[in-house]
Amino acid sequence: IRVVVIGSQPLGPLACRVTLILAMAAMTAGNLTAFLQTNPCRLLVYSSLAQAGYLLIGPAVASSGHWPAASGFSGAGTLLFGLPVFAAATIGLFAALGCLRRGGNRIQHVEQLAGLAWTKGIRRRVLACSIGVFVLSLAGIGPLAGSWARLLSLAGILSTPGTGPGLRYWLTVAAAVYLVNSAIALVYYLKLVALVFFRTPLGTPQIESESEGPLLAAVCLALVIVGVGLYPGPIADLAWGSGLPWPG
């Protein structure tokens, strides 16, 4: 990250525009493809591409040459905050889905998660709550850690001065694309939450016989996401402290 951010400094607005294009392409392709998926793991894979697009906003802001002294936001700090937040939610969601089975096979369709929160067994309900935390965090809904990452990315776009040829235009377009993609993602994320919590169970999914490790990982990561969402200060300060000195 340090090499990329510092290396893009001489290019200034050009590097910012190129990074914004990559970010918009990644979030749009990822969200549109994820929207069409019915397999939860494939949905998560394509939504991860969209999350990578959101994270690229940080390097775009950093490469513009405007640092927190002028705007109050650090592009590098935004990336360093958002990357572990999105990674925790994604890894945790994969772990939770990996604990569940239908007919001895992994979950193959989102409908197989219907009513999971209302099935018998404490482990199933814990998994349902963990899935809800991960999905809502990825959707950027507060008070979870993902909401702060989304807010900081959007604030980075809006607070960056529009200097350079056409840079303000690119920043405005990026902000609009960011908001449209957030709305698209919100639809399929909330659909998944509704399936888990507001549908009648379609039978009882089995729990993988050796699921103690993934289950513990999912619960711990869910607690971390809730904790960072309620009290983001220490992680944000650490990210900002790591991001500020880079430009020299």
Side-chain angles (χ1 to χ4, degrees):
I1 298 174
R2 183 189 295 260
V3 171
V4 172
V5 172
I6 294 179
S8 65
Q9 285 296 294
L11 300 176
L14 176 60
C16 182
R17 289 196 296 272
V18 171
T19 310
L20 286 175
I21 291 172
L22 292 175
M24 291 186 289
M27 66 178 74
T28 302
N31 278 321
L32 290 179
T33 309
F35 185 82
L36 301 174
Q37 300 304 311
T38 58
N39 183 296
C41 289
R42 284 202 296 267
L43 183 151
L44 186 54
V45 168
Y46 288 114
S47 73
S48 297
L49 175 60
Q51 301 295 343
Y54 302 137
L55 291 174
L56 280 173
I57 297 300
V61 172
S63 63
S64 69
H66 296 281
W67 296 89
S71 65
F73 291 91
S74 163
T78 298
L79 175 61
L80 290 173
F81 180 87
L83 185 58
V85 166
F86 289 134
T90 301
I91 293 171
L93 189 49
F94 269 122
L97 292 173
C99 293
L100 298 171
R101 296 288 187 274
R102 286 280 190 175
N105 299 315
R106 292 182 181 273
I107 300 296
Q108 299 294 323
H109 198 285
V110 292
E111 290 289 337
Q112 293 177 318
L113 296 171
L116 179 63
W118 306 108
T119 54
K120 294 181 180 180
I122 185 64
R123 289 194 295 176
R124 294 182 183 86
R125 295 181 179 180
V126 167
L127 284 171
C129 291
S130 299
I131 289 172
V133 168
F134 298 135
V135 173
L136 291 176
S137 182
L138 289 172
I141 295 176
L144 298 171
S147 64
W148 292 107
R150 290 286 190 91
L151 179 62
L152 291 173
S153 294
L154 182 60
I157 300 176
L158 298 177
S159 65
T160 303
T163 58
L167 184 56
R168 183 70 263 168
Y169 167 80
W170 282 102
L171 291 168
T172 302
V173 171
V177 172
Y178 188 98
L179 291 173
V180 170
N181 274 280
S182 294
I184 295 173
L186 196 61
V187 172
Y188 63 78
Y189 282 134
L190 290 183
K191 179 182 177 182
L192 190 55
V193 172
L195 276 171
V196 173
F197 290 94
F198 301 107
R199 285 280 299 275
T200 303
L202 300 177
T204 302
Q206 298 85 38
I207 302 292
E208 171 65 25
S209 58
E210 299 179 357
S211 63
E212 289 79 7
L215 177 59
L216 180 60
V219 171
C220 290
L221 289 171
L223 292 174
V224 168
I225 288 172
V226 173
V228 174
L230 294 175
Y231 191 54
I235 303 299
D237 290 343
L238 181 63
W240 253 243
S242 300
L244 288 177
W246 290 7

